[in-house]
Amino acid sequence: MRLVLLGPPGAGKGTQSMRLKEKYHIPQLSTGDMLRAAVEAATPVGLEAKAVMDKGGLVPDATVVGIVADRIGAPDAKTGFILDGFPRTVGQAEALAKMLRAKNMDLDAVIELKVDEAALLARIAQRVKDTLASGGTVRADDNPEAFKARLDAYHAQTAPVSDFYAKQAVLKTVDGMVPADAVTKAIEQMLEGSIRCVGLG
Ligand code: ADP
């Protein structure tokens, strides 16, 4: 199964992808995690990406597309994958389509988590609190300024990606405002075809 999860920062893509990974035994490919690992390891990609990420901007398409192309070519992605945080621009979506076509592959579904934006900042604040409480390290871009930039980037560059997939009739919309378990259930039911998703796009 090959899936894409779309949604604004704080929508719960990471949480849901992790659960889908367990259930379907396919890797979760988070470009955010891959980029953070590159920053941590101070690779050339990481050194280039760090400043942009800290401010909440988008890393150039060519960089991210290169990372994803390598990753989906890995043996563990042969049976499928969940893309979390990619594609984030129409250019990336086009590059992904090209990559998949070359491998004779298709996406099974693009799942968009719909959330009320007023709730997002509160979710990020909670994530910071939980991270600190468990002794973890808070992400450099989990602060109000960078969060606003991430949301702006989402509106300007990622929202059109939903239209791109709606036109291809692979976009499924899920309510991301209900508790995480209910979101998981809705996604699983949708994937198992037991409910029809209304309101594409
Ligand atoms: P979130 O969805 O919470 O904003 P991510 O972990 O997906 O967080 O991404 C963190 C940052 O990594 C983004 O703000 C951006 O700078 C960079 N990034 C991740 N994925 C992409 C992508 N596909 N294209 C460009 N930049 C990306």
Side-chain angles (χ1 to χ4, degrees), residues 4 18 42 44 55 60 70 77 81-82 85 117 160:
V4 166
M18 233 130 61
K55 278 199 233 120
D70 283 350
F81 49 77
I82 306 150
E117 286 201 3

Side-chain angles (χ1 to χ4, degrees), residues 9 13 31-32 35-36 53 57 59 64 85 88 92 139 150:
K13 300 184 297 289
T31 43
L35 288 167
R36 279 186 289 276
M53 289 174 74
V59 174
V64 187
R88 247 181 169 88
Q92 292 178 16
R139 276 168 50 169
R150 283 155 63 198

